[in-house]
Amino acid sequence: MKYVSHAVCLICNKTFEKGEFEYVCPDHGNEGILDIRYDYDAIKKDFTKKKLAANRDLSIWRYKPVLPVEETSLGPNLPVGNTPLLNLDALANQLGINKLYLKDDGRLPTASFKDRASAIAVVKAREARAKVVTTASTGNAAAALSGLCASMGQKNVIFVPASAPQAKIAQLLMFGSKVILVDGTYDDAFDLCLKAANEYGWYNRNTGYNPYMSEGKKTCAFEICEQLDWQAPDVIFVSVGDGCIIGGIHKGLKDLFELGWIDKIPRLTGVQAEGSSYMYQAWKNNENIVTKPGIKAQTIADSISAGLPRDRIKALDAVKATKGAFIIVSDEEIIRAIPDLAEKTGVFAEPAGAATWAGVKKAAQKGMLKPDESVVFINTGSGLKDINSAMKAVEFTDMKYFRVKPSMGEVKKIVSDLQL
Ligand SMILES: Cc1ncc(COP(=O)(O)O)c(C=O)c1O
Ligand SMILES: [Zn+2]
């Protein structure tokens, strides 16, 4: 927080000094998402690549000068960050590009990208001396908040659609959260959570409302660039629901560019499901993102099912400012991408995570990637989060298993057919 200079409303550009804002711009209500701004000249004097390289803390707190927190010791007792960036040369070859990397955020403590934002949320809640923290979520942000709260004994109340995958609900219950299952959509859960937070004075982590969430999510961009020795890739693929992740990645890249640590900002490609493609439509048709009404969202990729993306202003800017693109993939393409990615890389992703792989393949087919380019795609959630969707993939592919009596004779028959 030392280097945070102010915050800006992304609708009216009004600025707010530190201590003058809590969540959104009062003139624009829940839509008035703020962007946190830093004093980069001051950061440069204090924070260098050399200092960073010498820091043994591999968690997101290694980037503290560019994070909006006072005291990281208030944070969760679970390490967040430092996920692997896998080099996929054989797949790069097949796609006809120079380099392909997979950033696997399914390996964070609660098995999704959302731990990055929730780590900031629990510190901010402690700074605000909040008794209770709350969030609405399609499931992963909730599980992240819930798990990190459990690690530090922080009370929390969670609103999720009752239709959220069982594994995500199980995480919430195991971590001891007070869980409110909403008979409705994520958008309904979001509105209800806002009302409850206002009524009871709870600290609210909601995506696209709490301005600090993009700041946690940007740490993924910091890690990608650090792992690539500060040679920024040409393109990064991110799946998009509310748009907070892609906005956060953009923010991280802008920070690094301002600090002079990278010399270009990659094109950001947002991947949406065909049935939840608000951002794609707005971008393609050049629509006004502030006034465009919500749509009905329906996709198997529950984590990116968002009728009215709450962080749409930052998401659209991420794509437009970097001359990137939005791309849509069908539910079948998403489902097929789960085993395809798992089989080729050993990374098992949930539908929203595998959607980026479907997006990379589609972009390569459409000629959106050049032969000399290096591309990163992010897996945002573990496949163990949603086993039902993964098992649906069996219907689309030739994957099969064999059931036998415990006899070697039957096994031999099968093995001879398999031509191993
Ligand atoms: C696994 C996963 N991928 C992608 C997303 C999309 O992130 P955003 O809603 O910030 O666009 C989410 C959000 O819940 C998620 O859980
Ligand atoms: Zn405003």
Side-chain angles (χ1 to χ4, degrees):
M1 205 66 180
K2 185 172 159 195
Y3 298 109
V4 169
S5 52
H6 59 284
V8 178
C9 169
L10 292 180
I11 297 180
C12 67
N13 285 327
K14 191 167 167 183
T15 61
F16 300 85
E17 296 306 312
K18 273 196 262 188
E20 264 183 20
F21 64 92
E22 195 180 11
Y23 299 110
V24 284
C25 168
D27 293 347
H28 291 97
N30 298 341
E31 307 302 321
I33 182 79
L34 301 180
D35 186 35
I36 307 293
R37 299 285 162 90
Y38 295 81
D39 178 349
Y40 293 109
D41 287 335
I43 296 175
K44 274 187 208 168
K45 287 192 191 122
D46 209 27
F47 191 46
T48 60
K49 285 183 189 173
K50 205 166 152 204
K51 258 194 187 170
L52 185 69
N55 188 347
R56 292 233 195 132
D57 179 0
L58 298 180
S59 77
I60 60 169
W61 305 130
R62 67 194 273 98
Y63 307 110
K64 183 171 173 240
V66 210
L67 292 175
V69 292
E70 300 286 356
E71 188 42 74
T72 54
S73 63
L74 293 176
N77 196 21
L78 285 171
V80 174
N82 191 30
T83 57
L85 184 72
L86 308 174
N87 187 351
L88 306 173
D89 279 343
L91 290 181
N93 236 337
Q94 281 173 25
L95 294 173
I97 54 176
N98 183 29
K99 281 285 186 189
L100 181 68
Y101 300 94
L102 169 55
K103 178 72 171 164
D104 186 11
D105 265 19
R107 299 210 208 171
L108 286 167
T110 75
S112 91
F113 188 107
K114 301 295 167 110
D115 287 331
R116 295 184 185 275
S118 290
I120 304 284
V122 291
V123 175
K124 297 313 287 178
R126 279 277 151 98
E127 285 176 6
R129 298 181 198 286
K131 270 176 78 179
V132 176
V133 191
T134 190
T135 197
S137 158
T138 54
N140 282 333
L145 186 67
S146 172
L148 299 187
C149 282
S151 81
M152 53 199 277
Q154 169 69 54
K155 282 189 192 158
N156 62 95
V157 180
I158 304 286
F159 295 78
V160 283
S163 58
Q166 280 284 295
K168 296 180 185 177
I169 295 173
Q171 282 184 295
L172 303 174
L173 295 170
M174 295 304 110
F175 291 137
S177 297
K178 303 295 175 235
V179 183
I180 300 185
L181 294 183
V182 181
D183 279 324
T185 61
Y186 163 57
D187 302 283
D188 296 325
F190 190 102
D191 292 335
L192 202 55
C193 176
L194 271 183
K195 285 184 192 146
N198 287 338
E199 175 93 20
Y200 302 112
W202 298 336
Y203 187 80
N204 193 337
R205 179 225 177 274
N206 273 8
T207 297
Y209 177 77
N210 185 319
Y212 297 116
M213 298 306 93
S214 323
E215 302 301 307
K217 291 177 180 181
K218 75 186 183 184
T219 59
C220 183
F222 293 167
E223 288 182 11
I224 290 170
C225 293
E226 192 177 2
Q227 286 164 316
L228 293 175
D229 243 344
W230 308 110
Q231 299 298 310
D234 296 294
V235 193
I236 302 180
F237 282 75
V238 187
S239 56
V240 176
D242 274 328
C244 187
I245 296 183
I246 197 166
I249 298 286
H250 186 211
K251 182 65 177 290
L253 296 167
K254 285 191 291 185
D255 282 351
L256 295 178
F257 191 76
E258 289 289 337
L259 291 173
W261 290 17
I262 57 173
D263 57 14
K264 65 164 189 254
I265 295 195
R267 306 197 301 277
L268 294 179
T269 302
V271 183
Q272 291 217 287
E274 253 171 33
S276 178
S277 58
Y278 181 105
M279 292 306 310
Y280 169 79
Q281 290 168 18
W283 169 75
K284 194 162 162 268
N285 304 325
N286 217 1
E287 291 172 280
N288 181 337
I289 201 84
V290 179
T291 53
K292 178 177 164 65
I295 58 168
K296 204 167 158 25
Q298 175 70 45
T299 166
I300 190 151
D302 62 293
S303 302
I304 47 171
S305 183
L308 184 64
R310 303 286 167 166
D311 230 349
R312 55 196 183 281
I313 299 177
K314 289 182 185 174
L316 189 64
D317 185 51
V319 165
K320 280 192 168 171
T322 64
K323 301 198 167 43
F326 280 101
I327 191 165
I328 46 172
V329 288
S330 68
D331 275 6
E332 184 177 334
E333 286 168 321
I334 292 173
I335 287 298
R336 282 181 181 276
I338 298 173
D340 190 50
L341 180 68
E343 197 167 88
K344 289 173 175 159
T345 65
V347 174
F348 180 22
E350 69 160 90
T356 50
W357 174 231
V360 169
K361 288 194 290 184
K362 199 165 222 180
Q365 272 165 18
K366 284 171 168 263
M368 292 164 69
L369 305 174
K370 300 187 199 90
D372 60 343
E373 289 191 321
S374 78
V375 174
V376 173
F377 66 108
I378 304 173
N379 169 32
T380 41
S382 163
L384 296 174
K385 292 269 195 176
D386 185 0
I387 291 299
N388 282 347
S389 294
M391 290 309 281
K392 287 212 176 83
V394 178
E395 295 163 25
F396 290 115
T397 63
D398 58 3
M399 266 182 290
K400 48 181 173 221
Y401 41 80
F402 306 93
R403 196 153 178 171
V404 297
K405 299 254 156 38
S407 109
M408 199 51 201
E410 288 198 31
V411 173
K412 280 187 176 165
K413 225 164 48 200
I414 292 164
V415 173
S416 75
D417 287 348
L418 285 177
Q419 297 175 334
L420 291 171

